[in-house]
Amino acid sequence: MSDPKVYDSNLVNVTLAERPITSGRASGEFVSTDFVSEAFTESVGADGEVTISRTNDKRGEITLKVTQTSSAHLLLTQLYALQQSTPGAALMDFELRDINGGLLESAAKCYFKKAPPSAYGAQAGDREWKLGCAELKREVG
């Protein structure tokens, strides 16, 4: 019989521009990463022969979801404003360390794709920030 696994969201450490994003995380999914392109593409010849090509596209997209009243949202708003006002843009490093499963994800020189829409209602909601990067790395440690 194997030992049960325990997940703790407080053991998922996220930093952007060397600043931790520890409070104000959305109650559901608060961070996600995804590669922009498939790792391989395939083509099929007239005779049915298949060729697989490595894409070598390492671009990634990072999504951070935080509550609208949080210090994390304020930090992301400030970093966005800094990036918009800096000639040549102020590119930032991203790191996600999942201590639960020993996964490290990182990206150098991230940029905001755009600011999230602002919506207001009877209750506070979440803000979803999307960042892009030229190279997303995933490592198991």
Side-chain angles (χ1 to χ4, degrees):
M1 182 175 185
S2 64
D3 292 332
K5 305 293 184 203
V6 177
Y7 173 79
D8 182 347
S9 65
N10 285 331
L11 296 179
V12 178
N13 300 324
V14 177
T15 59
L16 182 63
E18 299 180 9
R19 294 179 176 99
I21 300 178
T22 55
S23 65
R25 298 173 177 193
S27 63
E29 186 177 276
F30 57 86
V31 62
S32 64
T33 62
D34 194 13
F35 288 98
V36 173
S37 297
E38 300 291 326
F40 292 88
T41 59
E42 56 187 38
S43 57
V44 181
D47 62 353
E49 183 176 83
V50 176
T51 301
I52 300 171
S53 301
R54 183 183 307 271
T55 61
N56 295 313
D57 183 359
K58 295 177 174 40
R59 290 176 301 146
E61 185 172 271
I62 301 156
T63 304
L64 300 169
K65 294 180 187 176
V66 297
T67 58
Q68 77 183 53
T69 59
S70 68
S71 58
H73 178 57
L74 178 61
L75 170 65
L76 293 169
T77 303
Q78 291 168 338
L79 290 172
Y80 176 80
L82 174 66
Q83 195 169 74
Q84 293 301 304
S85 65
T86 302
L91 302 177
M92 302 160 282
D93 293 342
F94 167 81
E95 183 177 280
L96 182 152
R97 236 179 238 285
D98 181 0
I99 297 168
N100 297 289
L103 184 66
L104 171 66
E105 300 192 42
S106 62
K109 300 180 178 141
C110 293
Y111 52 90
F112 288 98
K113 292 188 135 194
K114 68 176 186 173
S118 294
Y120 300 90
Q123 296 180 349
D126 294 336
R127 297 292 190 256
E128 184 174 293
W129 290 88
K130 290 201 180 277
L131 295 100
C133 62
E135 183 178 5
L136 178 63
K137 296 180 183 177
R138 285 188 181 150
E139 304 170 38
V140 178

